[in-house]
PDB file of all heavy atoms in Angstrom:
ATOM      1  N   TYR W 298      -8.606 -20.924  13.475  1.00 97.00           N
ATOM      2  CA  TYR W 298      -8.664 -19.536  12.887  1.00 97.00           C
ATOM      3  C   TYR W 298      -9.269 -18.582  13.774  1.00 97.00           C
ATOM      4  O   TYR W 298      -8.740 -17.550  14.073  1.00 97.00           O
ATOM      5  CB  TYR W 298      -9.305 -19.474  11.542  1.00 97.00           C
ATOM      6  CG  TYR W 298      -9.777 -18.164  11.087  1.00 97.00           C
ATOM      7  CD1 TYR W 298      -9.013 -17.222  10.656  1.00 97.00           C
ATOM      8  CD2 TYR W 298     -11.200 -18.016  11.259  1.00 97.00           C
ATOM      9  CE1 TYR W 298      -9.592 -15.903  10.322  1.00 97.00           C
ATOM     10  CE2 TYR W 298     -11.683 -16.702  11.006  1.00 97.00           C
ATOM     11  CZ  TYR W 298     -11.044 -15.820  10.458  1.00 97.00           C
ATOM     12  OH  TYR W 298     -11.513 -14.551  10.230  1.00 97.00           O
ATOM     13  N   PHE W 299     -10.571 -18.996  14.298  1.00 98.00           N
ATOM     14  CA  PHE W 299     -11.220 -18.160  15.116  1.00 98.00           C
ATOM     15  C   PHE W 299     -10.505 -17.783  16.462  1.00 98.00           C
ATOM     16  O   PHE W 299     -10.382 -16.668  16.856  1.00 98.00           O
ATOM     17  CB  PHE W 299     -12.592 -18.774  15.434  1.00 98.00           C
ATOM     18  CG  PHE W 299     -13.589 -17.863  16.098  1.00 98.00           C
ATOM     19  CD1 PHE W 299     -14.576 -17.284  15.422  1.00 98.00           C
ATOM     20  CD2 PHE W 299     -13.522 -17.670  17.527  1.00 98.00           C
ATOM     21  CE1 PHE W 299     -15.484 -16.427  16.041  1.00 98.00           C
ATOM     22  CE2 PHE W 299     -14.485 -16.791  18.089  1.00 98.00           C
ATOM     23  CZ  PHE W 299     -15.443 -16.278  17.370  1.00 98.00           C
ATOM     24  N   GLU W 300      -9.951 -18.863  17.044  1.00 98.00           N
ATOM     25  CA  GLU W 300      -9.282 -18.651  18.337  1.00 98.00           C
ATOM     26  C   GLU W 300      -8.039 -17.912  18.171  1.00 98.00           C
ATOM     27  O   GLU W 300      -7.617 -17.143  19.100  1.00 98.00           O
ATOM     28  CB  GLU W 300      -9.055 -20.043  19.003  1.00 98.00           C
ATOM     29  CG  GLU W 300     -10.360 -20.751  19.549  1.00 98.00           C
ATOM     30  CD  GLU W 300     -10.224 -22.149  19.800  1.00 98.00           C
ATOM     31  OE1 GLU W 300      -9.158 -22.727  19.870  1.00 98.00           O
ATOM     32  OE2 GLU W 300     -11.344 -22.835  19.937  1.00 98.00           O
ATOM     33  N   ASN W 301      -7.401 -18.024  17.018  1.00 97.00           N
ATOM     34  CA  ASN W 301      -6.151 -17.357  16.726  1.00 97.00           C
ATOM     35  C   ASN W 301      -6.511 -15.932  16.604  1.00 97.00           C
ATOM     36  O   ASN W 301      -5.718 -14.911  16.914  1.00 97.00           O
ATOM     37  CB  ASN W 301      -5.472 -17.910  15.521  1.00 97.00           C
ATOM     38  CG  ASN W 301      -4.060 -17.118  15.294  1.00 97.00           C
ATOM     39  OD1 ASN W 301      -3.238 -17.225  16.185  1.00 97.00           O
ATOM     40  ND2 ASN W 301      -3.910 -16.687  14.177  1.00 97.00           N
ATOM     41  N   GLN W 302      -7.601 -15.560  15.960  1.00 97.00           N
ATOM     42  CA  GLN W 302      -7.988 -14.122  15.819  1.00 97.00           C
ATOM     43  C   GLN W 302      -8.220 -13.448  17.171  1.00 97.00           C
ATOM     44  O   GLN W 302      -7.919 -12.308  17.396  1.00 97.00           O
ATOM     45  CB  GLN W 302      -9.221 -14.046  14.946  1.00 97.00           C
ATOM     46  CG  GLN W 302      -9.087 -14.322  13.435  1.00 97.00           C
ATOM     47  CD  GLN W 302      -8.195 -13.374  12.713  1.00 97.00           C
ATOM     48  OE1 GLN W 302      -8.349 -12.100  12.827  1.00 97.00           O
ATOM     49  NE2 GLN W 302      -7.088 -13.937  12.098  1.00 97.00           N
ATOM     50  N   VAL W 303      -8.910 -14.168  18.013  1.00 98.00           N
ATOM     51  CA  VAL W 303      -9.060 -13.706  19.381  1.00 98.00           C
ATOM     52  C   VAL W 303      -7.682 -13.463  20.135  1.00 98.00           C
ATOM     53  O   VAL W 303      -7.387 -12.435  20.685  1.00 98.00           O
ATOM     54  CB  VAL W 303      -9.947 -14.647  20.218  1.00 98.00           C
ATOM     55  CG1 VAL W 303     -10.065 -14.096  21.752  1.00 98.00           C
ATOM     56  CG2 VAL W 303     -11.305 -14.723  19.635  1.00 98.00           C
ATOM     57  N   ARG W 304      -6.821 -14.447  19.991  1.00 98.00           N
ATOM     58  CA  ARG W 304      -5.524 -14.390  20.583  1.00 98.00           C
ATOM     59  C   ARG W 304      -4.786 -13.289  20.039  1.00 98.00           C
ATOM     60  O   ARG W 304      -4.018 -12.439  20.774  1.00 98.00           O
ATOM     61  CB  ARG W 304      -4.734 -15.700  20.334  1.00 98.00           C
ATOM     62  CG  ARG W 304      -3.454 -15.799  21.058  1.00 98.00           C
ATOM     63  CD  ARG W 304      -2.662 -17.044  20.568  1.00 98.00           C
ATOM     64  NE  ARG W 304      -3.354 -18.301  21.151  1.00 98.00           N
ATOM     65  CZ  ARG W 304      -4.019 -19.195  20.440  1.00 98.00           C
ATOM     66  NH1 ARG W 304      -4.086 -18.903  19.019  1.00 98.00           N
ATOM     67  NH2 ARG W 304      -4.494 -20.300  20.902  1.00 98.00           N
ATOM     68  N   ARG W 305      -4.872 -13.024  18.713  1.00 97.00           N
ATOM     69  CA  ARG W 305      -4.188 -11.908  17.958  1.00 97.00           C
ATOM     70  C   ARG W 305      -4.677 -10.554  18.633  1.00 97.00           C
ATOM     71  O   ARG W 305      -3.857  -9.664  18.790  1.00 97.00           O
ATOM     72  CB  ARG W 305      -4.325 -12.022  16.523  1.00 97.00           C
ATOM     73  CG  ARG W 305      -3.594 -10.969  15.800  1.00 97.00           C
ATOM     74  CD  ARG W 305      -3.551 -11.151  14.322  1.00 97.00           C
ATOM     75  NE  ARG W 305      -2.983 -10.060  13.571  1.00 97.00           N
ATOM     76  CZ  ARG W 305      -2.931  -9.945  12.294  1.00 97.00           C
ATOM     77  NH1 ARG W 305      -3.491 -10.938  11.481  1.00 97.00           N
ATOM     78  NH2 ARG W 305      -2.481  -8.968  11.738  1.00 97.00           N
ATOM     79  N   ALA W 306      -6.026 -10.403  18.645  1.00 97.00           N
ATOM     80  CA  ALA W 306      -6.544  -9.134  19.225  1.00 97.00           C
ATOM     81  C   ALA W 306      -5.999  -8.928  20.640  1.00 97.00           C
ATOM     82  O   ALA W 306      -5.714  -7.693  20.881  1.00 97.00           O
ATOM     83  CB  ALA W 306      -8.012  -9.201  19.247  1.00 97.00           C
ATOM     84  N   ILE W 307      -6.083  -9.992  21.464  1.00 98.00           N
ATOM     85  CA  ILE W 307      -5.545  -9.779  22.871  1.00 98.00           C
ATOM     86  C   ILE W 307      -4.048  -9.295  22.920  1.00 98.00           C
ATOM     87  O   ILE W 307      -3.740  -8.328  23.515  1.00 98.00           O
ATOM     88  CB  ILE W 307      -5.732 -11.098  23.590  1.00 98.00           C
ATOM     89  CG1 ILE W 307      -7.163 -11.432  23.782  1.00 98.00           C
ATOM     90  CG2 ILE W 307      -5.027 -10.989  24.981  1.00 98.00           C
ATOM     91  CD1 ILE W 307      -7.457 -12.788  24.252  1.00 98.00           C
ATOM     92  N   GLN W 308      -3.322  -9.908  21.939  1.00 97.00           N
ATOM     93  CA  GLN W 308      -1.955  -9.531  21.987  1.00 97.00           C
ATOM     94  C   GLN W 308      -1.570  -8.267  21.347  1.00 97.00           C
ATOM     95  O   GLN W 308      -0.866  -7.307  21.858  1.00 97.00           O
ATOM     96  CB  GLN W 308      -1.051 -10.609  21.213  1.00 97.00           C
ATOM     97  CG  GLN W 308      -1.105 -11.987  21.906  1.00 97.00           C
ATOM     98  CD  GLN W 308      -0.468 -13.199  21.172  1.00 97.00           C
ATOM     99  OE1 GLN W 308      -0.193 -13.044  19.976  1.00 97.00           O
ATOM    100  NE2 GLN W 308      -0.262 -14.263  21.767  1.00 97.00           N
ATOM    101  N   ASP W 309      -2.264  -8.005  20.146  1.00 95.00           N
ATOM    102  CA  ASP W 309      -1.950  -6.703  19.416  1.00 95.00           C
ATOM    103  C   ASP W 309      -2.344  -5.483  20.205  1.00 95.00           C
ATOM    104  O   ASP W 309      -1.665  -4.471  20.144  1.00 95.00           O
ATOM    105  CB  ASP W 309      -2.624  -6.735  18.048  1.00 95.00           C
ATOM    106  CG  ASP W 309      -2.099  -7.720  16.988  1.00 95.00           C
ATOM    107  OD1 ASP W 309      -0.992  -8.230  17.282  1.00 95.00           O
ATOM    108  OD2 ASP W 309      -2.548  -7.844  15.934  1.00 95.00           O
ATOM    109  N   PHE W 310      -3.457  -5.640  21.007  1.00 95.00           N
ATOM    110  CA  PHE W 310      -3.926  -4.379  21.643  1.00 95.00           C
ATOM    111  C   PHE W 310      -3.583  -4.448  23.167  1.00 95.00           C
ATOM    112  O   PHE W 310      -4.040  -3.669  23.921  1.00 95.00           O
ATOM    113  CB  PHE W 310      -5.431  -4.382  21.479  1.00 95.00           C
ATOM    114  CG  PHE W 310      -5.862  -3.933  20.095  1.00 95.00           C
ATOM    115  CD1 PHE W 310      -6.396  -4.840  19.245  1.00 95.00           C
ATOM    116  CD2 PHE W 310      -5.647  -2.697  19.551  1.00 95.00           C
ATOM    117  CE1 PHE W 310      -6.686  -4.514  17.922  1.00 95.00           C
ATOM    118  CE2 PHE W 310      -6.124  -2.277  18.273  1.00 95.00           C
ATOM    119  CZ  PHE W 310      -6.569  -3.329  17.533  1.00 95.00           C
ATOM    120  N   ARG W 311      -2.812  -5.554  23.525  1.00 96.00           N
ATOM    121  CA  ARG W 311      -2.323  -5.713  24.873  1.00 96.00           C
ATOM    122  C   ARG W 311      -3.521  -5.603  25.899  1.00 96.00           C
ATOM    123  O   ARG W 311      -3.497  -4.796  26.856  1.00 96.00           O
ATOM    124  CB  ARG W 311      -1.213  -4.569  25.261  1.00 96.00           C
ATOM    125  CG  ARG W 311      -0.061  -4.763  24.390  1.00 96.00           C
ATOM    126  CD  ARG W 311       1.053  -3.754  24.583  1.00 96.00           C
ATOM    127  NE  ARG W 311       2.091  -3.748  23.629  1.00 96.00           N
ATOM    128  CZ  ARG W 311       3.148  -2.967  23.680  1.00 96.00           C
ATOM    129  NH1 ARG W 311       3.159  -1.916  24.513  1.00 96.00           N
ATOM    130  NH2 ARG W 311       4.150  -3.031  22.831  1.00 96.00           N
ATOM    131  N   MET W 312      -4.496  -6.433  25.646  1.00 98.00           N
ATOM    132  CA  MET W 312      -5.708  -6.438  26.404  1.00 98.00           C
ATOM    133  C   MET W 312      -5.504  -6.900  27.889  1.00 98.00           C
ATOM    134  O   MET W 312      -5.994  -6.281  28.834  1.00 98.00           O
ATOM    135  CB  MET W 312      -6.751  -7.113  25.801  1.00 98.00           C
ATOM    136  CG  MET W 312      -7.221  -6.586  24.395  1.00 98.00           C
ATOM    137  SD  MET W 312      -8.616  -7.475  23.688  1.00 98.00           S
ATOM    138  CE  MET W 312      -8.957  -6.448  22.219  1.00 98.00           C
ATOM    139  N   PHE W 313      -4.798  -8.054  27.959  1.00 97.00           N
ATOM    140  CA  PHE W 313      -4.670  -8.648  29.343  1.00 97.00           C
ATOM    141  C   PHE W 313      -3.630  -9.715  29.282  1.00 97.00           C
ATOM    142  O   PHE W 313      -3.205 -10.068  28.208  1.00 97.00           O
ATOM    143  CB  PHE W 313      -5.974  -9.093  29.944  1.00 97.00           C
ATOM    144  CG  PHE W 313      -6.828  -9.878  29.071  1.00 97.00           C
ATOM    145  CD1 PHE W 313      -6.519 -11.192  28.611  1.00 97.00           C
ATOM    146  CD2 PHE W 313      -8.031  -9.415  28.478  1.00 97.00           C
ATOM    147  CE1 PHE W 313      -7.289 -11.862  27.818  1.00 97.00           C
ATOM    148  CE2 PHE W 313      -8.781 -10.097  27.634  1.00 97.00           C
ATOM    149  CZ  PHE W 313      -8.514 -11.360  27.259  1.00 97.00           C
ATOM    150  N   THR W 314      -3.172 -10.223  30.371  1.00 96.00           N
ATOM    151  CA  THR W 314      -2.185 -11.356  30.450  1.00 96.00           C
ATOM    152  C   THR W 314      -2.845 -12.456  31.176  1.00 96.00           C
ATOM    153  O   THR W 314      -3.881 -12.321  31.929  1.00 96.00           O
ATOM    154  CB  THR W 314      -0.982 -10.852  31.241  1.00 96.00           C
ATOM    155  OG1 THR W 314      -1.288 -10.706  32.641  1.00 96.00           O
ATOM    156  CG2 THR W 314      -0.411  -9.496  30.708  1.00 96.00           C
ATOM    157  N   PRO W 315      -2.212 -13.612  31.113  1.00 96.00           N
ATOM    158  CA  PRO W 315      -2.746 -14.796  31.911  1.00 96.00           C
ATOM    159  C   PRO W 315      -2.933 -14.595  33.322  1.00 96.00           C
ATOM    160  O   PRO W 315      -3.614 -15.278  34.072  1.00 96.00           O
ATOM    161  CB  PRO W 315      -1.730 -15.976  31.518  1.00 96.00           C
ATOM    162  CG  PRO W 315      -1.172 -15.470  30.270  1.00 96.00           C
ATOM    163  CD  PRO W 315      -1.111 -14.027  30.335  1.00 96.00           C
ATOM    164  N   ASP W 316      -2.153 -13.659  33.928  1.00 97.00           N
ATOM    165  CA  ASP W 316      -2.272 -13.296  35.383  1.00 97.00           C
ATOM    166  C   ASP W 316      -3.552 -12.538  35.782  1.00 97.00           C
ATOM    167  O   ASP W 316      -3.844 -12.427  36.894  1.00 97.00           O
ATOM    168  CB  ASP W 316      -0.987 -12.736  35.796  1.00 97.00           C
ATOM    169  CG  ASP W 316       0.216 -13.556  35.805  1.00 97.00           C
ATOM    170  OD1 ASP W 316       0.191 -14.753  35.841  1.00 97.00           O
ATOM    171  OD2 ASP W 316       1.319 -12.935  35.358  1.00 97.00           O
ATOM    172  N   ASP W 317      -4.047 -11.919  34.755  1.00 97.00           N
ATOM    173  CA  ASP W 317      -5.256 -11.002  35.052  1.00 97.00           C
ATOM    174  C   ASP W 317      -6.500 -11.868  35.324  1.00 97.00           C
ATOM    175  O   ASP W 317      -6.735 -12.876  34.692  1.00 97.00           O
ATOM    176  CB  ASP W 317      -5.475 -10.076  33.914  1.00 97.00           C
ATOM    177  CG  ASP W 317      -4.423  -8.933  33.830  1.00 97.00           C
ATOM    178  OD1 ASP W 317      -4.026  -8.514  34.781  1.00 97.00           O
ATOM    179  OD2 ASP W 317      -4.148  -8.697  32.688  1.00 97.00           O
ATOM    180  N   ARG W 318      -7.393 -11.290  36.208  1.00 98.00           N
ATOM    181  CA  ARG W 318      -8.681 -11.921  36.463  1.00 98.00           C
ATOM    182  C   ARG W 318      -9.643 -11.190  35.541  1.00 98.00           C
ATOM    183  O   ARG W 318      -9.689  -9.918  35.597  1.00 98.00           O
ATOM    184  CB  ARG W 318      -9.143 -11.717  37.881  1.00 98.00           C
ATOM    185  CG  ARG W 318      -8.292 -12.573  38.850  1.00 98.00           C
ATOM    186  CD  ARG W 318      -8.758 -12.492  40.287  1.00 98.00           C
ATOM    187  NE  ARG W 318     -10.051 -13.161  40.476  1.00 98.00           N
ATOM    188  CZ  ARG W 318     -11.067 -12.394  40.864  1.00 98.00           C
ATOM    189  NH1 ARG W 318     -11.065 -11.238  41.186  1.00 98.00           N
ATOM    190  NH2 ARG W 318     -12.311 -13.168  41.035  1.00 98.00           N
ATOM    191  N   ILE W 319     -10.393 -11.878  34.739  1.00 98.00           N
ATOM    192  CA  ILE W 319     -11.278 -11.326  33.712  1.00 98.00           C
ATOM    193  C   ILE W 319     -12.703 -11.525  34.035  1.00 98.00           C
ATOM    194  O   ILE W 319     -13.125 -12.635  34.405  1.00 98.00           O
ATOM    195  CB  ILE W 319     -11.067 -11.910  32.365  1.00 98.00           C
ATOM    196  CG1 ILE W 319      -9.444 -11.762  31.994  1.00 98.00           C
ATOM    197  CG2 ILE W 319     -11.818 -11.264  31.201  1.00 98.00           C
ATOM    198  CD1 ILE W 319      -8.953 -12.491  30.906  1.00 98.00           C
ATOM    199  N   LEU W 320     -13.543 -10.550  33.898  1.00 98.00           N
ATOM    200  CA  LEU W 320     -15.008 -10.679  34.082  1.00 98.00           C
ATOM    201  C   LEU W 320     -15.663 -10.404  32.673  1.00 98.00           C
ATOM    202  O   LEU W 320     -15.475  -9.419  32.073  1.00 98.00           O
ATOM    203  CB  LEU W 320     -15.476  -9.659  35.149  1.00 98.00           C
ATOM    204  CG  LEU W 320     -16.967  -9.777  35.474  1.00 98.00           C
ATOM    205  CD1 LEU W 320     -17.326 -11.086  36.165  1.00 98.00           C
ATOM    206  CD2 LEU W 320     -17.442  -8.574  36.429  1.00 98.00           C
ATOM    207  N   VAL W 321     -16.304 -11.529  32.217  1.00 98.00           N
ATOM    208  CA  VAL W 321     -16.927 -11.468  30.905  1.00 98.00           C
ATOM    209  C   VAL W 321     -18.405 -11.132  31.183  1.00 98.00           C
ATOM    210  O   VAL W 321     -19.150 -11.828  31.870  1.00 98.00           O
ATOM    211  CB  VAL W 321     -16.799 -12.825  30.181  1.00 98.00           C
ATOM    212  CG1 VAL W 321     -17.416 -12.782  28.770  1.00 98.00           C
ATOM    213  CG2 VAL W 321     -15.426 -13.260  30.090  1.00 98.00           C
ATOM    214  N   ALA W 322     -18.947  -9.900  30.563  1.00 98.00           N
ATOM    215  CA  ALA W 322     -20.218  -9.602  30.454  1.00 98.00           C
ATOM    216  C   ALA W 322     -21.083 -10.507  29.568  1.00 98.00           C
ATOM    217  O   ALA W 322     -20.900 -10.426  28.258  1.00 98.00           O
ATOM    218  CB  ALA W 322     -20.402  -8.130  30.145  1.00 98.00           C
ATOM    219  N   VAL W 323     -21.923 -11.325  30.091  1.00 98.00           N
ATOM    220  CA  VAL W 323     -22.711 -12.286  29.305  1.00 98.00           C
ATOM    221  C   VAL W 323     -24.051 -12.032  29.266  1.00 98.00           C
ATOM    222  O   VAL W 323     -24.720 -11.637  30.347  1.00 98.00           O
ATOM    223  CB  VAL W 323     -22.418 -13.849  29.706  1.00 98.00           C
ATOM    224  CG1 VAL W 323     -21.002 -14.198  29.438  1.00 98.00           C
ATOM    225  CG2 VAL W 323     -22.846 -13.960  31.154  1.00 98.00           C
ATOM    226  N   SER W 324     -24.824 -12.182  28.096  1.00 95.00           N
ATOM    227  CA  SER W 324     -26.202 -11.723  27.869  1.00 95.00           C
ATOM    228  C   SER W 324     -26.997 -13.076  27.676  1.00 95.00           C
ATOM    229  O   SER W 324     -28.232 -13.152  27.652  1.00 95.00           O
ATOM    230  CB  SER W 324     -26.350 -10.985  26.773  1.00 95.00           C
ATOM    231  OG  SER W 324     -25.888 -11.514  25.560  1.00 95.00           O
ATOM    232  N   GLY W 325     -26.279 -14.219  27.385  1.00 95.00           N
ATOM    233  CA  GLY W 325     -27.030 -15.415  27.034  1.00 95.00           C
ATOM    234  C   GLY W 325     -27.088 -15.525  25.556  1.00 95.00           C
ATOM    235  O   GLY W 325     -27.398 -16.561  24.953  1.00 95.00           O
ATOM    236  N   GLY W 326     -26.508 -14.531  24.809  1.00 96.00           N
ATOM    237  CA  GLY W 326     -26.429 -14.540  23.304  1.00 96.00           C
ATOM    238  C   GLY W 326     -25.057 -15.093  22.801  1.00 96.00           C
ATOM    239  O   GLY W 326     -24.310 -15.466  23.586  1.00 96.00           O
ATOM    240  N   LYS W 327     -25.040 -15.166  21.507  1.00 97.00           N
ATOM    241  CA  LYS W 327     -24.013 -16.027  20.965  1.00 97.00           C
ATOM    242  C   LYS W 327     -22.585 -15.325  21.232  1.00 97.00           C
ATOM    243  O   LYS W 327     -21.504 -16.061  21.501  1.00 97.00           O
ATOM    244  CB  LYS W 327     -24.108 -16.282  19.372  1.00 97.00           C
ATOM    245  CG  LYS W 327     -24.173 -14.965  18.582  1.00 97.00           C
ATOM    246  CD  LYS W 327     -24.413 -15.335  17.143  1.00 97.00           C
ATOM    247  CE  LYS W 327     -24.450 -14.050  16.352  1.00 97.00           C
ATOM    248  NZ  LYS W 327     -25.381 -12.841  16.731  1.00 97.00           N
ATOM    249  N   ASP W 328     -22.539 -13.994  21.091  1.00 97.00           N
ATOM    250  CA  ASP W 328     -21.219 -13.350  21.128  1.00 97.00           C
ATOM    251  C   ASP W 328     -20.557 -13.427  22.444  1.00 97.00           C
ATOM    252  O   ASP W 328     -19.354 -13.741  22.583  1.00 97.00           O
ATOM    253  CB  ASP W 328     -21.426 -11.863  20.674  1.00 97.00           C
ATOM    254  CG  ASP W 328     -21.857 -11.646  19.313  1.00 97.00           C
ATOM    255  OD1 ASP W 328     -21.417 -12.366  18.376  1.00 97.00           O
ATOM    256  OD2 ASP W 328     -22.951 -10.993  19.118  1.00 97.00           O
ATOM    257  N   SER W 329     -21.330 -13.060  23.553  1.00 97.00           N
ATOM    258  CA  SER W 329     -20.767 -13.104  24.843  1.00 97.00           C
ATOM    259  C   SER W 329     -20.425 -14.590  25.291  1.00 97.00           C
ATOM    260  O   SER W 329     -19.434 -14.761  25.890  1.00 97.00           O
ATOM    261  CB  SER W 329     -21.683 -12.445  25.817  1.00 97.00           C
ATOM    262  OG  SER W 329     -22.945 -13.070  25.873  1.00 97.00           O
ATOM    263  N   LEU W 330     -21.260 -15.571  24.861  1.00 98.00           N
ATOM    264  CA  LEU W 330     -20.990 -16.900  25.308  1.00 98.00           C
ATOM    265  C   LEU W 330     -19.764 -17.467  24.598  1.00 98.00           C
ATOM    266  O   LEU W 330     -19.094 -18.297  25.184  1.00 98.00           O
ATOM    267  CB  LEU W 330     -22.151 -17.853  25.143  1.00 98.00           C
ATOM    268  CG  LEU W 330     -23.464 -17.533  26.167  1.00 98.00           C
ATOM    269  CD1 LEU W 330     -24.487 -18.446  25.849  1.00 98.00           C
ATOM    270  CD2 LEU W 330     -22.859 -17.467  27.612  1.00 98.00           C
ATOM    271  N   VAL W 331     -19.652 -17.020  23.319  1.00 98.00           N
ATOM    272  CA  VAL W 331     -18.496 -17.565  22.455  1.00 98.00           C
ATOM    273  C   VAL W 331     -17.117 -16.912  23.087  1.00 98.00           C
ATOM    274  O   VAL W 331     -16.250 -17.642  23.241  1.00 98.00           O
ATOM    275  CB  VAL W 331     -18.736 -17.137  21.000  1.00 98.00           C
ATOM    276  CG1 VAL W 331     -17.383 -17.159  20.315  1.00 98.00           C
ATOM    277  CG2 VAL W 331     -19.647 -18.163  20.345  1.00 98.00           C
ATOM    278  N   LEU W 332     -17.272 -15.650  23.478  1.00 98.00           N
ATOM    279  CA  LEU W 332     -16.028 -14.920  24.026  1.00 98.00           C
ATOM    280  C   LEU W 332     -15.702 -15.712  25.240  1.00 98.00           C
ATOM    281  O   LEU W 332     -14.449 -15.932  25.523  1.00 98.00           O
ATOM    282  CB  LEU W 332     -16.419 -13.563  24.322  1.00 98.00           C
ATOM    283  CG  LEU W 332     -15.373 -12.825  25.070  1.00 98.00           C
ATOM    284  CD1 LEU W 332     -14.088 -12.843  24.321  1.00 98.00           C
ATOM    285  CD2 LEU W 332     -15.762 -11.330  25.419  1.00 98.00           C
ATOM    286  N   TRP W 333     -16.649 -16.074  26.108  1.00 98.00           N
ATOM    287  CA  TRP W 333     -16.247 -16.819  27.336  1.00 98.00           C
ATOM    288  C   TRP W 333     -15.779 -18.111  27.084  1.00 98.00           C
ATOM    289  O   TRP W 333     -14.776 -18.522  27.713  1.00 98.00           O
ATOM    290  CB  TRP W 333     -17.584 -16.859  28.259  1.00 98.00           C
ATOM    291  CG  TRP W 333     -17.362 -17.146  29.693  1.00 98.00           C
ATOM    292  CD1 TRP W 333     -16.204 -17.271  30.323  1.00 98.00           C
ATOM    293  CD2 TRP W 333     -18.355 -17.441  30.719  1.00 98.00           C
ATOM    294  NE1 TRP W 333     -16.350 -17.532  31.640  1.00 98.00           N
ATOM    295  CE2 TRP W 333     -17.670 -17.749  31.917  1.00 98.00           C
ATOM    296  CE3 TRP W 333     -19.728 -17.488  30.552  1.00 98.00           C
ATOM    297  CZ2 TRP W 333     -18.294 -17.850  33.119  1.00 98.00           C
ATOM    298  CZ3 TRP W 333     -20.435 -17.772  31.743  1.00 98.00           C
ATOM    299  CH2 TRP W 333     -19.770 -18.007  33.042  1.00 98.00           C
ATOM    300  N   GLU W 334     -16.307 -18.783  26.085  1.00 98.00           N
ATOM    301  CA  GLU W 334     -15.822 -20.080  25.802  1.00 98.00           C
ATOM    302  C   GLU W 334     -14.354 -20.104  25.253  1.00 98.00           C
ATOM    303  O   GLU W 334     -13.483 -20.860  25.755  1.00 98.00           O
ATOM    304  CB  GLU W 334     -16.752 -20.658  24.670  1.00 98.00           C
ATOM    305  CG  GLU W 334     -16.185 -21.998  23.957  1.00 98.00           C
ATOM    306  CD  GLU W 334     -16.404 -23.267  24.831  1.00 98.00           C
ATOM    307  OE1 GLU W 334     -17.190 -23.116  25.882  1.00 98.00           O
ATOM    308  OE2 GLU W 334     -15.984 -24.267  24.487  1.00 98.00           O
ATOM    309  N   VAL W 335     -14.053 -19.125  24.409  1.00 98.00           N
ATOM    310  CA  VAL W 335     -12.752 -19.027  23.839  1.00 98.00           C
ATOM    311  C   VAL W 335     -11.683 -18.677  24.850  1.00 98.00           C
ATOM    312  O   VAL W 335     -10.580 -19.255  24.995  1.00 98.00           O
ATOM    313  CB  VAL W 335     -12.718 -18.024  22.729  1.00 98.00           C
ATOM    314  CG1 VAL W 335     -11.295 -17.758  22.302  1.00 98.00           C
ATOM    315  CG2 VAL W 335     -13.542 -18.493  21.536  1.00 98.00           C
ATOM    316  N   LEU W 336     -12.036 -17.747  25.832  1.00 98.00           N
ATOM    317  CA  LEU W 336     -11.159 -17.356  26.869  1.00 98.00           C
ATOM    318  C   LEU W 336     -10.799 -18.508  27.817  1.00 98.00           C
ATOM    319  O   LEU W 336      -9.718 -18.630  28.239  1.00 98.00           O
ATOM    320  CB  LEU W 336     -11.703 -16.149  27.522  1.00 98.00           C
ATOM    321  CG  LEU W 336     -11.866 -14.834  26.907  1.00 98.00           C
ATOM    322  CD1 LEU W 336     -12.275 -13.737  27.775  1.00 98.00           C
ATOM    323  CD2 LEU W 336     -10.504 -14.522  26.247  1.00 98.00           C
ATOM    324  N   LEU W 337     -11.817 -19.312  28.062  1.00 98.00           N
ATOM    325  CA  LEU W 337     -11.660 -20.552  28.985  1.00 98.00           C
ATOM    326  C   LEU W 337     -10.864 -21.614  28.219  1.00 98.00           C
ATOM    327  O   LEU W 337      -9.880 -22.092  28.801  1.00 98.00           O
ATOM    328  CB  LEU W 337     -12.983 -21.118  29.333  1.00 98.00           C
ATOM    329  CG  LEU W 337     -13.839 -20.287  30.334  1.00 98.00           C
ATOM    330  CD1 LEU W 337     -15.211 -20.999  30.388  1.00 98.00           C
ATOM    331  CD2 LEU W 337     -13.232 -20.240  31.592  1.00 98.00           C
ATOM    332  N   ARG W 338     -10.979 -21.679  26.949  1.00 97.00           N
ATOM    333  CA  ARG W 338     -10.177 -22.605  26.128  1.00 97.00           C
ATOM    334  C   ARG W 338      -8.769 -22.185  26.008  1.00 97.00           C
ATOM    335  O   ARG W 338      -7.800 -23.023  25.928  1.00 97.00           O
ATOM    336  CB  ARG W 338     -10.717 -22.750  24.696  1.00 97.00           C
ATOM    337  CG  ARG W 338     -12.073 -23.513  24.622  1.00 97.00           C
ATOM    338  CD  ARG W 338     -12.383 -23.824  23.127  1.00 97.00           C
ATOM    339  NE  ARG W 338     -13.581 -24.553  23.073  1.00 97.00           N
ATOM    340  CZ  ARG W 338     -13.805 -25.439  22.025  1.00 97.00           C
ATOM    341  NH1 ARG W 338     -12.944 -25.618  21.062  1.00 97.00           N
ATOM    342  NH2 ARG W 338     -14.953 -26.094  22.028  1.00 97.00           N
ATOM    343  N   LEU W 339      -8.493 -20.831  25.980  1.00 97.00           N
ATOM    344  CA  LEU W 339      -7.183 -20.276  25.901  1.00 97.00           C
ATOM    345  C   LEU W 339      -6.382 -20.318  27.263  1.00 97.00           C
ATOM    346  O   LEU W 339      -5.313 -19.871  27.313  1.00 97.00           O
ATOM    347  CB  LEU W 339      -7.220 -18.941  25.244  1.00 97.00           C
ATOM    348  CG  LEU W 339      -7.717 -18.879  23.896  1.00 97.00           C
ATOM    349  CD1 LEU W 339      -7.664 -17.383  23.355  1.00 97.00           C
ATOM    350  CD2 LEU W 339      -6.842 -19.730  22.947  1.00 97.00           C
TER     351      LEU W 339
END
């Protein structure tokens, strides 16, 4: 469910495509590390 919600946000708002290079701002906290994890998994 969680990963699908991220996938849906990316698609609905046309955030980026698999061809784009993405830089994730990470702080060591849960939100930024979770985002990085999900993007890598996807």
